[in-house]
Amino acid sequence: MKLIATSDWHLGNLFHGIDRLNEHKDFLSWLLKQIKQQQPDALLIAGDVFDNGNPSALSQTAYYEFLADATERCKHMQVIITAGNHDSASRLEAPRPLLTRHQVEIRGSVKRKWVADGDGGTWQINYDDLIIPITDQEGGKAVVLAVPYLRNDIIQDASYSKGVNELLRTLTARARQTYPDTLLVMMAHMYAKGADIAKTDASEKIIIGGQEEVNMEGWTAHPDYMTCGHIHKRQHIWHTDWARYTGSILPMSFAEKDYTHGVDLISLQKGSKPVVTQLVYQPQHRLVVLPENDEELTPKKFRKLIDERLSDRMNGERDEHSDYVTLKVKLDKMSNDDIKALEQQVNSKNAVLCKIQKIIPQLDIQTITDHQSLKSIDDILNRDPMDTLKEAFAIKHNAEMNERQVAMLTELLSSINNQPNE
């Protein structure tokens, strides 16, 4: 059994205001070539097909053209698609009755019904709807457990992780009971505990505090393989050797500039461990951050670096492989005129300036205030309130108070001190 697994296409995404439709079309064209060459038995797309719940008509056209071409180039291939947190579950699943006839199965949401009982009733999940049998050209069978992004209205548990695990494990047990001695492949879209995400500028929508973090550790009766979407860096899921994120097909932020992109080719055979190989895709546009480190550059050195790292235009026009560029500019080294000149220089190259990251030098708080070591309540009570106000202002604004602000606060503090006690 041969599968191609992918996720996080984010069709319709704008990268710093740049429409990426041509980039997505380039990827889809590349994927069609892989499908024609590999002739997989199934293509699994694990969520975030679109970048938002109301994708443009052009994005939807690219998506449906791909499905039509893919099923034509590999007639025996089953396509299974699940919704991610960026997708509109109902919009994605709307053409399900039609696409099912063309070997394309879509699961946008988990189906359930309310069953009344003496205590009021409970929601019962239709697990069978998430179980999709597939067959290879030699008659071999496998089962795909197609789990869309699980929202809180489905996971009605105090612990999101516990609720997701209960659903996934119940689904797996049911599939094993219905299809004994059959390979099980699960596809899901979630934030697994321990996932490696970008420390800055992360584009994955991670809930603050890890409330939707799912701990996959300790699942002994797991499926034979699990492919996941949501995290943009390709990696194993923490504490597993049977579950993996495929990663996004394009970098979604400059923090992802060093990620490897592509799709996973999975070979399954009963009694053997899955063999997973990444088919590497090279995105059209390289992401460039100048400088790459925290080096402080003068305008002259910055201009030299731009000339060294960015190529010139051919015939005065950008080509389809122009670089996307971020400049890290330290404001104590650059005037506004210097920054404008650098911007013009980048845009004269075979490049698009996406972002100027202005770095403000951090103030030394101790030079602003009469810095004291505060070790007790008495230290705080006896401290000059003006020092506290100056320090708080500097921390928030990364700048010192001006003379007028100091004078106003001094007058305010004086009036407070001179008020009679009640």
Side-chain angles (χ1 to χ4, degrees):
M1 184 75 66
K2 185 188 290 188
L3 314 175
I4 286 180
T6 178
S7 70
D8 294 271
W9 290 5
H10 290 276
L11 300 179
N13 174 252
L14 299 179
F15 190 78
H16 294 273
I18 302 168
D19 189 342
R20 309 187 88 175
L21 180 61
N22 288 335
E23 295 176 69
H24 284 118
K25 285 184 175 181
D26 184 77
F27 165 76
L28 295 175
S29 176
W30 172 86
L31 182 53
L32 286 173
K33 293 176 184 177
Q34 307 308 311
I35 290 171
K36 184 174 182 180
Q37 178 181 344
Q38 299 294 339
Q39 291 292 298
D41 301 300
L43 171 66
L44 311 182
I45 309 173
D48 283 356
V49 177
F50 295 102
D51 194 54
N52 59 71
N54 188 26
S56 68
L58 290 175
S59 297
Q60 294 182 74
T61 297
Y63 166 68
Y64 287 114
E65 284 181 346
F66 167 79
L67 292 179
D69 291 340
T71 51
E72 181 65 27
R73 295 192 186 192
C74 190
K75 293 185 180 298
H76 72 279
M77 179 181 71
Q78 181 92 26
V79 181
I80 303 175
I81 304 167
T82 55
N85 59 301
H86 279 256
D87 297 308
S88 163
S90 57
R91 183 185 293 272
L92 194 69
E93 197 171 308
R96 175 175 167 177
L98 173 62
L99 293 179
T100 296
R101 302 183 186 185
H102 298 276
Q103 299 191 109
V104 178
E105 292 287 348
I106 300 175
R107 299 297 183 267
S109 58
V110 174
K111 303 294 184 288
R112 58 181 184 161
K113 65 179 180 179
W114 180 259
V115 178
D117 56 31
D119 297 324
T122 57
W123 286 106
Q124 289 191 359
I125 291 175
N126 184 353
Y127 288 101
D128 293 337
D129 186 59
L130 305 177
I131 301 173
I132 304 173
I134 58 175
T135 306
D136 64 21
Q137 295 186 78
E138 287 73 42
K141 296 184 182 298
V143 171
V144 175
L145 310 180
V147 183
Y149 176 68
L150 298 171
R151 303 186 186 276
N152 285 317
D153 61 331
I154 297 296
I155 304 303
Q156 296 183 336
D157 196 289
S159 165
Y160 183 83
S161 177
K162 181 181 176 182
V164 170
N165 269 293
E166 183 177 345
L167 188 151
L168 298 184
R169 297 179 190 211
T170 302
L171 174 62
T172 303
R174 187 178 185 91
R176 281 221 166 89
Q177 182 180 21
T178 307
Y179 298 91
D181 300 319
T182 304
L183 288 165
L184 298 186
V185 178
M186 179 173 283
M187 54 190 296
H189 192 95
M190 64 183 187
Y191 174 33
K193 182 177 181 179
D196 184 6
I197 64 173
K199 299 300 183 291
T200 60
D201 201 20
S203 54
E204 297 103 333
K205 289 187 176 179
I206 304 303
I207 302 298
I208 294 174
Q211 295 177 30
E212 292 191 356
E213 188 179 52
V214 179
N215 188 349
M216 301 293 291
E217 189 177 10
W219 187 4
T220 55
H222 55 75
D224 296 284
Y225 188 74
M226 180 177 185
T227 182
C228 245
H230 190 43
I231 303 303
H232 296 163
K233 182 178 182 180
R234 183 177 185 265
Q235 60 190 283
H236 273 294
I237 289 180
W238 185 64
H239 282 187
T240 74
D241 59 0
W242 50 271
R244 177 184 287 280
Y245 285 106
T246 59
S248 61
I249 54 107
L250 296 176
M252 301 301 295
S253 74
F254 277 94
E256 301 176 11
K257 69 182 184 67
D258 296 323
Y259 289 4
T260 301
H261 302 277
V263 300
D264 281 352
L265 179 65
I266 306 161
S267 296
L268 296 169
Q269 188 173 353
K270 193 66 179 176
S272 301
K273 285 189 175 182
V275 177
V276 184
T277 305
Q278 186 183 36
L279 304 179
V280 177
Y281 168 70
Q282 186 63 49
Q284 275 188 314
H285 300 277
R286 182 180 62 145
L287 302 191
V288 179
V289 176
L290 299 176
E292 291 185 335
N293 51 30
D294 293 327
E295 181 182 3
E296 296 186 10
L297 299 178
T298 62
K300 183 177 179 181
K301 288 184 177 180
F302 222 132
R303 289 193 294 271
K304 182 180 178 182
L305 180 63
I306 290 172
D307 280 334
E308 290 173 348
R309 292 292 309 278
L310 304 180
S311 60
D312 293 325
R313 296 186 183 188
M314 297 295 291
N315 302 320
E317 298 291 335
R318 295 190 189 99
D319 64 28
E320 62 182 5
H321 297 289
S322 57
D323 295 328
Y324 290 162
V325 180
T326 282
L327 298 182
K328 294 195 299 183
V329 177
K330 296 202 172 182
L331 293 184
D332 59 336
K333 296 290 184 182
M334 300 281 180
S335 67
N336 287 334
D337 288 340
D338 291 329
I339 295 173
K340 188 173 182 179
L342 295 178
E343 183 178 350
Q344 292 173 346
Q345 184 183 359
V346 170
N347 286 329
S348 70
K349 298 288 186 176
N350 188 34
V352 178
L353 181 58
C354 297
K355 179 180 178 183
I356 296 178
Q357 183 180 349
K358 296 181 179 180
I359 302 173
I360 302 173
Q362 291 297 311
L363 293 179
D364 183 356
I365 300 299
Q366 296 189 36
T367 66
I368 298 174
T369 66
D370 181 16
H371 189 76
Q372 304 173 33
S373 177
L374 304 178
K375 298 180 179 179
S376 68
I377 295 296
D378 286 340
D379 289 341
I380 297 173
L381 293 175
N382 294 327
R383 190 187 190 195
D384 185 345
M386 181 59 76
D387 283 339
T388 301
L389 292 170
K390 285 181 177 179
E391 186 171 330
F393 185 92
I395 291 172
K396 181 174 182 178
H397 301 285
N398 198 43
E400 296 185 54
M401 290 184 188
N402 59 36
E403 292 181 1
R404 179 173 173 274
Q405 290 167 329
V406 171
M408 289 176 62
L409 284 173
T410 301
E411 183 179 348
L412 176 62
L413 290 173
S414 177
S415 66
I416 292 173
N417 291 330
N418 292 330
Q419 285 184 358
N421 293 327
E422 294 294 335

